[in-house]
Amino acid sequence: VYLNIHMYVIHKLEEAVYICEQQCQSTDCTQDAVHSWDQAVAFYTGSLEGTSGTGNGKLLYAQADRRCRDFRTCGEHGDTYVGTSQVNIQIFEHFRAGRLDLNNAAVCESARNRRDKIINLMAIPMIQGTLRYAYITDKQRNASGEKAEAEGATFAATILPLVYHCGKEDAQVIWENMAVGSGPANFVEVKQALEAHYACMGIDGKMVGGLYDPASNVYYEDAEPCCSESRVDKKAAITGGVLGSVCFFLILVIIVMAINRRRTGKDPNFAEAETAPGEVTSTSEISMQPMKDGNEHTVNAAENGEPGVVKSDVEVL
């Protein structure tokens, strides 16, 4: 049911935006677009929830509320394990705003953005379900069985296309751990494979939360919440910072060389400078603050280098 309903909700959202973009620009067809949008809301929620959303539902809305109790992501701020899930709160904000976009002025671009955000949010309970059953089959084997494996495989099948789009190898890791008949999962492997692509999938790791034990008021071991950034993004940020620091370091070297050139009147790269009294002969005579980005870098003149020639680690590289 989750697989089918999940895809059908996406289909109706796509249909609503398509009608808006392709037909509503020349004819008055906003009602058709709104009708498809309303169908998406209906299939997401189900009739058993009632008008207040507090009923005994069976579809995606109810699934999000159940998982928020497991991962302590209920409430407006996603910091409790009771009440409506943060996912449902945000999804219905986009449902309402998207309907107004389509109904009032056929604002297709805004509705398209709402559609994308809803689809991203819908993936969060499926990720939580995958993590929950990976944990159960790994850490609570006495309480798990075929039912736990089947539920884990179902949740994983819902999100695997998203993970595969971002990283094929990690999608394979998840499948090998969660497929029916694969035996106990390696929870840490599954968790890491998912977290590596949260940013690519448009998901905030904080909204996923961590597998929570309300009886002990702590997160289960190895199941703590992930940060907002993916591991891939952190690596990219670190790499970018290092490269930026190196570039800045090279600029400093060039500036120092230019100063020496102007003072000696000769090019320090190709000719030996004649040192006049009071002239700067090395960068050790120039006050420079070390540049820091985790490690200190300084420009030092060679002890026995030629006058006016700057020698540094960068030149050696």
Side-chain angles (χ1 to χ4, degrees):
V1 173
Y2 292 144
L3 281 169
N4 293 337
I5 295 297
H6 187 269
M7 292 305 299
Y8 199 71
V9 171
I10 294 174
H11 162 66
K12 299 311 291 187
L13 291 172
E14 295 281 2
E15 183 179 70
V17 174
Y18 175 82
I19 293 173
C20 181
E21 292 178 336
Q22 301 299 321
Q23 301 177 26
C24 295
Q25 306 307 309
S26 58
T27 61
D28 184 14
C29 62
T30 56
Q31 290 305 311
D32 293 336
V34 169
H35 180 67
S36 293
W37 192 268
D38 286 347
Q39 285 182 310
V41 177
F43 280 103
Y44 178 82
T45 310
S47 61
L48 297 180
E49 288 292 345
T51 57
S52 63
T54 58
N56 187 26
K58 303 295 183 183
L59 300 183
L60 302 180
Y61 184 97
Q63 172 64 23
D65 280 353
R66 281 196 291 272
R67 294 289 79 86
C68 86
R69 294 192 286 271
D70 296 327
F71 285 78
R72 202 170 183 265
T73 53
C74 302
E76 182 179 357
H77 303 292
D79 56 0
T80 182
Y81 55 87
V82 294
T84 304
S85 69
Q86 186 184 33
V87 166
N88 279 337
I89 292 172
Q90 292 194 13
I91 281 180
F92 267 82
E93 288 176 357
H94 293 305
F95 273 149
R96 286 188 289 268
R99 190 180 194 280
L100 290 175
D101 290 336
L102 295 171
N103 192 42
N104 293 345
V107 186
C108 305
E109 182 176 357
S110 179
R112 188 191 317 115
N113 292 335
R114 300 284 182 185
R115 172 204 65 190
D116 294 342
K117 291 177 180 178
I118 291 169
I119 293 172
N120 291 343
L121 288 166
M122 284 171 55
I124 291 176
M126 303 304 160
I127 291 173
Q128 292 172 330
T130 303
L131 291 172
R132 180 172 186 263
Y133 287 101
Y135 189 91
I136 289 174
T137 60
D138 184 5
K139 309 290 186 179
Q140 301 173 355
R141 297 181 184 180
N142 293 334
S144 66
E146 292 183 355
K147 179 179 181 296
E149 286 189 22
E151 292 197 61
T154 301
F155 285 117
T158 307
I159 60 166
L160 273 174
L162 298 175
V163 179
Y164 185 86
H165 172 74
C166 298
K168 297 179 181 179
E169 292 182 0
D170 283 326
Q172 185 65 30
V173 169
I174 295 170
W175 174 247
E176 290 174 355
N177 277 279
M178 302 303 297
V180 173
S182 60
N186 184 318
F187 172 74
V188 173
E189 283 188 2
V190 174
K191 186 172 186 287
Q192 291 177 347
L194 286 167
E195 290 174 350
H197 304 291
Y198 281 167
C200 175
M201 294 188 287
I203 291 170
D204 184 349
K206 290 183 178 179
M207 289 191 69
V208 176
L211 198 55
Y212 189 73
D213 181 9
S216 303
N217 199 34
V218 295
Y219 291 101
Y220 287 105
E221 185 180 0
D222 297 326
E224 296 82 4
C226 172
C227 54
S228 294
E229 299 175 356
S230 73
R231 290 184 286 121
V232 174
D233 282 355
K234 284 184 175 180
K235 182 178 179 181
I238 292 172
T239 302
V242 171
L243 290 176
S245 298
V246 171
C247 290
F248 184 52
F249 184 47
L250 289 172
I251 291 172
L252 286 179
V253 173
I254 293 171
I255 291 173
V256 172
M257 293 176 68
I259 292 173
N260 284 342
R261 183 185 298 117
R262 293 184 63 180
R263 288 182 178 275
T264 60
K266 296 183 179 181
D267 191 336
N269 287 312
F270 302 101
E272 181 177 331
E274 298 178 1
T275 306
E279 286 188 331
V280 178
T281 59
S282 73
T283 56
S284 60
E285 299 180 32
I286 301 175
S287 177
M288 296 181 63
Q289 295 297 323
M291 179 179 59
K292 300 180 179 180
D293 67 313
N295 296 309
E296 292 187 356
H297 302 279
T298 57
V299 179
N300 297 314
E303 293 181 359
N304 300 315
E306 297 177 353
V309 178
V310 177
K311 294 186 178 180
S312 66
D313 292 340
V314 173
E315 289 182 331
V316 175
L317 293 175

